[in-house]
Amino acid sequence: MAFDRNTVIIEADRIEKYIYFVKSGLLRAYVLTDGREITFCIGQEGAVALSMESYINHQPGYESIATLEPTALYRIPSEKLAGLYKTDIHIANWGRKFAETEIIRAERSLIPHLSTTASDRYENLLNQNPALLNRIPLEKLASYLGITPPY
């Protein structure tokens, strides 16, 4: 599936029935707080996009996920993936590894946001993935780093 820039693929407060895999492009996950969009995750090629609350608890999710540039995604219904987990040990093991990887990714994102300065978070992003900086609009980057964007 192909999506234009700034297309919301997962909406907050809805039960999402699909899991997406990023073939090409860039996504961001965000929450709306006091009328502001707070970006908490950036996903690029190879990333998985889903609402964990919908996927695990079958409840409306708290986040929205939108494209930051033209993006191509693969999509699978959550129920179909759950069925594959029951019938294919290799896919079930992939799901377990995915969950483990997401927990580590969340920790690696959360801890620096709680224990470092915005300048340190920017330096870390610059060192780990400098090409990403050219792909993220400034206001979204500022939100992701936890700083007020310049206007």
Side-chain angles (χ1 to χ4, degrees), residues 20-61:
Y20 298 87
F21 300 87
V22 181
K23 177 182 178 185
S24 64
L26 194 64
L27 303 173
R28 73 181 180 106
Y30 62 95
V31 293
L32 193 60
T33 304
D34 296 328
R36 292 182 10 226
E37 293 178 356
I38 307 297
T39 300
F40 65 90
C41 185
I42 303 290
Q44 55 187 329
E45 291 81 5
V48 178
L50 74 156
S51 167
M52 282 290 201
E53 189 71 33
S54 291
Y55 178 65
I56 294 171
N57 295 325
H58 307 287
Q59 298 294 317

Side-chain angles (χ1 to χ4, degrees), residues 1-3 20 71-75:
M1 304 178 74
F3 295 91
Y20 298 87
T71 301
L73 303 171
Y74 298 110
R75 178 177 87 167

